[in-house]
Amino acid sequence: MSAFPEGGTVALTAGDPGLAGVMVGLGWTVEPGVGPLAEPVALAIVCGDDGRALTPEHLVFFNQLTTASPGIAFSPTEGAQRQDAEQIDVDFASVPSDVMRIAFVTYVDPEVRGPGTFAAVRDAYIRVARPDGTELVRFDAPPAQPETAKAVLFGELFRDADGWAFRALGRGYENGLAGVGAEFGLDV
Amino acid sequence: MPEQHPLDVPYLTRRIRPDDGLTLARPAGAPPPDVPPESRLYPAPAFGTRGLSPRDAVVRLNARQSAIGSLFVTGARGTAWEDSAHVTGAQSVHREQIGTVVPTSGGRPLVGYVNRDVVVALRHVRQLRRALFIAGEGPLTVQTFDGAAAAVPGSLGEGRRTVLTLTRIGSSLELRAESVPDSWDDGQIWREFGFSMTIGLGRR
């Protein structure tokens, strides 16, 4: 296991050619407070070689577990005892060749009663593990401006030569999910 | 509390698996299908900027519209809800309340009024089974986070009142405009739609 700095990359399959897939876990804690709490939601965006979603529907999250592209699936955690708040499974062999990048974003649900920012979100992270749970890499991803960040791009898997690699990002979006949708071409 | 009506039976609830919302009927004794319920739905218009009418009474939200942010309903004099455990409640625009509020882990009720709008907390859409929105004197409008909206007149005919139903089917929400006699009070409307209020489950 190794911690990564923002912008750091690690080759996953180059060092482990037998790695058939990974589990990407995302987690956080929310400071308790009076009134409605921030509710982070993780999603993965399935992108082509232009860095944008293959179609506006190419994302997975708790209410859309798969897309038309196989090999990427949200794993429901409701009722399960897991280390992570949310988990997304990637089966490298099943991912179509037109998928060049899988971006992992967490947004704070834009519910009208708020709060809609990361101000009360602590210990945010993304980690990549083997299917058996063995951790390969972990990135602690607090946004630089949590009081204004409404969504954060935690990291991405991307094709690297004939295999896959991971890049830690930690980029905040003050315009939240709408900004993420505009950048990646999603219909959200 | 409204008088019990002879038709007030949970006629929809006995075929429902807890996680599916409203499940389509299947032959008695048949095993649950492997395919998700969405794939067995008839086609319905997508939820965009449109009006509902007696001829075009149904729209269906996609999985993103059904789960992000708040679903706003403006123009409702009352709402009623039922969660996936069949807990029910109702509230009027004047905050008169009966039944049981459904809390969510974010500290917001699953369905309830915010100012004069009804708001459904879509982060917890999987807790919802269905809801009703009863028109007041004007039109009912519905809006989601992505800006999509629908509107329906408060009356679809002489002496009629519009009731908008919201039903979860798997990962999708479906809106349907219904029409009831204008003279019916909220209690009678709940009963005709199969609601009986859950009393006594509130936090003490």
Side-chain angles (χ1 to χ4, degrees):
Chain A
M1 182 183 86
S2 57
F4 254 69
E6 185 174 327
T9 64
V10 59
L12 298 173
T13 50
D16 184 354
L19 187 66
V22 293
M23 183 280 292
V24 179
L26 302 100
W28 49 76
T29 58
V30 177
E31 292 274 308
V34 177
L37 302 176
E39 296 195 88
V41 180
L43 61 85
I45 307 168
V46 182
C47 304
D49 59 3
D50 61 354
R52 290 170 64 84
L54 288 175
T55 74
E57 301 179 0
H58 266 80
L59 63 89
V60 297
F61 75 134
F62 75 91
N63 203 43
Q64 181 171 293
L65 306 185
T66 60
T67 72
S69 297
I72 303 141
F74 187 90
S75 178
T77 55
E78 290 172 24
Q81 295 293 321
R82 291 183 176 173
Q83 175 179 346
D84 311 298
E86 316 261 41
Q87 294 180 342
I88 295 160
D89 297 321
V90 181
D91 176 15
F92 293 144
S94 301
V95 176
S97 59
D98 59 345
V99 176
M100 303 301 290
R101 175 186 177 202
I102 305 166
F104 297 90
V105 172
T106 296
Y107 66 89
V108 176
D109 187 59
E111 215 275 347
V112 63
R113 284 159 285 195
T117 72
F118 277 76
V121 179
R122 304 280 183 269
D123 307 320
Y125 69 86
I126 182 171
R127 69 187 189 99
V128 181
R130 293 186 177 90
D132 67 4
T134 312
E135 194 166 292
L136 295 165
V137 61
R138 179 188 177 98
F139 173 53
D140 294 322
Q145 303 288 337
E147 292 79 12
T148 55
K150 296 177 179 175
V152 177
L153 175 59
F154 278 24
E156 63 181 3
L157 293 172
F158 61 98
R159 289 193 187 271
D160 178 37
D162 292 331
W164 287 87
F166 172 78
R167 178 181 292 120
L169 291 168
R171 175 181 165 194
Y173 292 78
E174 293 189 4
N175 49 1
L177 190 57
V180 174
E183 179 173 323
F184 286 90
L186 301 172
D187 65 346
V188 294
Chain B
M1 178 179 170
E3 181 183 336
Q4 190 77 3
H5 188 282
L7 293 177
D8 188 6
V9 294
Y11 63 95
L12 286 172
T13 65
R14 293 172 185 159
R15 300 193 301 266
I16 304 301
R17 286 190 297 163
D19 193 45
D20 278 356
L22 185 64
T23 303
L24 303 183
R26 56 180 176 268
D34 292 332
V35 295
E38 299 91 320
S39 64
R40 292 178 286 135
L41 292 172
Y42 64 86
F47 184 60
T49 301
R50 60 183 301 125
L52 297 178
S53 67
R55 287 179 57 86
D56 298 300
V58 177
V59 290
R60 190 172 300 144
L61 285 64
N62 65 38
R64 282 86 62 203
Q65 292 170 325
S66 299
I68 296 173
S70 309
L71 180 88
F72 282 94
V73 181
T74 302
R77 77 176 189 195
T79 182
W81 56 82
E82 179 177 352
D83 78 359
S84 56
H86 309 300
V87 172
T88 56
Q91 191 178 49
S92 78
V93 68
H94 304 299
R95 303 300 193 273
E96 298 153 327
Q97 192 164 299
I98 188 170
T100 300
V101 173
V102 177
T104 67
S105 57
R108 305 166 182 85
L110 182 61
V111 183
Y113 273 91
V114 175
N115 300 320
R116 296 184 67 80
D117 298 328
V118 186
V119 172
V120 181
L122 295 179
R123 173 63 184 91
H124 303 281
V125 67
R126 294 282 175 166
Q127 280 183 250
L128 180 71
R129 182 165 176 259
R130 59 183 181 136
L132 295 181
F133 310 104
I134 303 168
E137 298 308 312
L140 285 168
T141 61
V142 183
Q143 188 165 12
T144 52
F145 170 75
D146 64 351
V152 59
S155 175
L156 295 172
E158 180 84 22
R160 309 293 293 179
R161 182 180 301 278
T162 301
V163 175
L164 203 53
T165 65
L166 178 72
T167 306
R168 182 176 68 81
I169 306 166
S171 61
S172 300
L173 290 174
E174 187 173 280
L175 284 164
R176 179 184 295 269
E178 308 266 12
S179 190
V180 301
D182 185 43
S183 59
W184 286 6
D185 62 20
D186 287 6
Q188 184 160 6
I189 293 171
W190 304 334
R191 289 192 295 271
E192 293 296 332
F193 283 87
F195 279 81
S196 57
M197 294 299 153
T198 305
I199 307 297
L201 287 183
R203 291 178 180 169
R204 298 181 189 280

